[in-house]
């Protein structure tokens, strides 16, 4: 992992619009279409996490809101000639995120690590956030620099390319995604104020209380259906609130531990673990666990497509089953109380 001291190669970042004032360049932002108030929320998370964040409503560019954009991305996507290199990656990110309805990770042609996740902050549109645009390996940065020096990107060379180059750990991206989830759940879009309505005149009769009782009865029955197992739902809401209070921890490892602990509590599971995918090694590594007798350092990585977690990662969908249903057996020394699991 790269040092946190290398978060940015240069803090003097140009805004998304500055380069786009030049003739012939593609606009990177359409800010008037963003939900009112989201710019400030997104900017705060981008600046504190040190990564780039973009709110998108479809194919991009342009995005609805751009925060701390990587200057290399800005140059590539502003160029009518070079934007096609980004189209299969960030261009399609909104479609991938909304189709999967969960966070998706990818590494673009420039070697930048990114994620795309749906975010519900506007009931009228399907929106997603593109995050990261960061180098997590120094070799990726060197390879891209060589492309600028003597490869296919020579004609894009400019001083502005390196004004805001972002370096980060993969855990930084995960932590920012958690903060975005929390911010999205708390965000309230600020619509334009409704037109003024004349105050009711005193002589207008009040509506008798008896009117509408039939409708209230129907509504009450619907409410009753939605309030099944109220105690369990209250516990769930309390657990989510308590967990949300912890995800702003500065140490990502602490966040991983919180995810594992609260997940186990919510599901009343005897064991729980969290694994992260290492794209360079093509395997999953356990980062936090609860109820597992072995130390994390003793747990072998899980290759893509192998084991339950590896299959879930490859197929990109959750799995609720038992080991018997998968035709597997659990090792006796693990002493599981049941054979059921969620991955």
């Amino acid at each position: 992992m790269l040092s946190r001291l290398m978060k940015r190669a240069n803090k003097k970042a140009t805004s998304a619009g500055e380069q786009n004032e030049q003739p012939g360049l593609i606009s990177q932002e359409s800010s008037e279409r963003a939900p009112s108030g989201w710019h400030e929320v997104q900017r705060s998370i981008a600046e504190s996490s040190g990564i780039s964040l973009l709110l998108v409503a479809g194919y991009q560019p342009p995005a609805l809101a751009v925060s701390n954009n990587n200057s290399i991305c800005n140059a590539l996507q502003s160029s009518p000639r070079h934007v096609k290199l980004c189209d299969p990656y960030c261009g399609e990110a909104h479609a991938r995120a909304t189709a999967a309805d969960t966070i998706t990770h990818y590494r673009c042609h420039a070697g930048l690590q990114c994620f795309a996740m749906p975010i519900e902050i506007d009931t009228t549109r399907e929106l997603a956030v593109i995050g990261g645009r960061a180098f997590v390996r120094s070799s990726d940065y060197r390879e891209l620099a060589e492309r600028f020096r003597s490869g296919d990107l020579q004609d894009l060379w400019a001083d502005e390319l390196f004004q805001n180059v972002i370096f980060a750990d993969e855990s930084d991206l995960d932590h920012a995604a958690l903060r975005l989830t929390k911010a999205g759940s708390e965000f309230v879009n600020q619509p334009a104020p409704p037109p003024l309505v004349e105050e009711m005149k005193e002589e207008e009769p009040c509506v008798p209380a008896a009117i509408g009782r039939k409708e209230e009865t129907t509504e009450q029955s619907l409410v009753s259906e939605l309030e099944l197992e109220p105690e369990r739902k209250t516990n769930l809401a309390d657990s989510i609130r308590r967990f949300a209070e912890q995800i702003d921890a500065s140490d990502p490892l602490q966040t991983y531990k919180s995810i594992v602990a609260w997940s186990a509590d919510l599901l009343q599971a005897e064991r729980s673990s969290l694994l992260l995918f290492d794209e360079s090694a093509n395997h999953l590594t356990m980062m936090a666990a609860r109820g597992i007798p072995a130390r994390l350092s003793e747990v072998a990585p899980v290759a893509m497509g192998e084991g339950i977690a590896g299959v879930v990662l490859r197929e990109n969908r959750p799995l609720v089953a038992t080991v018997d249903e998968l035709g597997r057996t659990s090792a006796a020394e693990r002493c599981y109380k049941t054979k059921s699991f969620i991955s």
Side-chain angles (χ1 to χ4, degrees), residues 203-217:
E203 61 271 17
E204 292 182 356
C206 294
V207 179
I211 297 179
R213 281 182 180 172
K214 183 176 181 180
E215 297 169 343
E216 289 174 0
T217 302

Side-chain angles (χ1 to χ4, degrees), residues 4-47:
R4 289 179 181 273
L5 297 177
M6 297 177 63
K7 278 286 187 181
R8 301 178 186 176
N10 193 319
K11 289 187 177 180
K12 294 175 60 179
T14 53
S15 67
E18 288 179 2
Q19 288 192 26
N20 297 337
E21 293 177 358
Q22 302 175 28
L25 296 185
I26 299 172
S27 174
Q28 295 297 290
E29 188 174 16
S30 179
S31 58
E32 70 281 357
R33 297 171 53 218
S36 179
W38 179 252
H39 273 90
E40 293 73 17
V41 175
Q42 179 175 291
R43 184 184 303 113
S44 175
I45 297 175
E47 290 178 352

Side-chain angles (χ1 to χ4, degrees), residues 2 14 35 43 93 113 133 137 173 185 188 196 203 216 229 335 342:
L2 297 174
T14 53
R43 184 184 303 113
Q113 194 66 32
R133 290 188 164 184
R137 298 184 297 186
L173 275 64
S185 66
V188 178
L196 295 176
E203 61 271 17
E216 289 174 0
E229 300 178 284
C335 301
I342 298 174

Side-chain angles (χ1 to χ4, degrees), residues 90-197:
C90 286
E92 294 281 2
H94 175 273
R96 287 197 301 272
T98 53
D101 196 28
T102 187
I103 186 170
T104 61
H105 296 267
Y106 61 97
R107 181 171 168 269
C108 76
H109 74 97
L112 296 163
Q113 194 66 32
C114 311
F115 66 80
M117 57 181 289
I119 188 163
E120 297 179 0
I121 56 175
D122 187 336
T123 57
T124 64
R125 294 177 290 180
E126 285 190 330
L127 302 179
V129 171
I130 298 174
R133 290 188 164 184
F135 291 107
V136 299
R137 298 184 297 186
S138 57
S139 58
D140 291 332
Y141 177 66
R142 289 195 297 270
E143 290 175 9
L144 183 65
E146 186 62 25
R147 290 174 63 189
F148 285 123
R149 189 180 71 85
S150 58
D152 61 317
L153 300 176
Q154 292 182 71
D155 58 343
L156 196 60
W157 181 272
D159 292 340
E160 292 82 2
L161 270 174
F162 303 99
Q163 286 191 345
N164 192 43
V165 179
I166 300 174
F167 295 86
D169 295 336
E170 290 188 21
S171 58
D172 295 325
L173 275 64
D174 295 330
H175 194 215
L178 285 170
R179 294 186 60 193
L180 282 166
T181 300
K182 179 184 178 184
S185 66
E186 297 176 346
F187 180 76
V188 178
N189 196 3
Q190 303 169 12
L196 295 176
V197 179

Side-chain angles (χ1 to χ4, degrees), residues 231-246:
E231 183 177 351
R232 181 177 179 277
K233 292 195 173 187
T234 299
N235 292 337
L236 174 63
D238 289 342
S239 296
I240 293 174
R241 176 183 54 78
R242 290 195 301 271
F243 166 67
E245 292 171 353
Q246 295 190 14

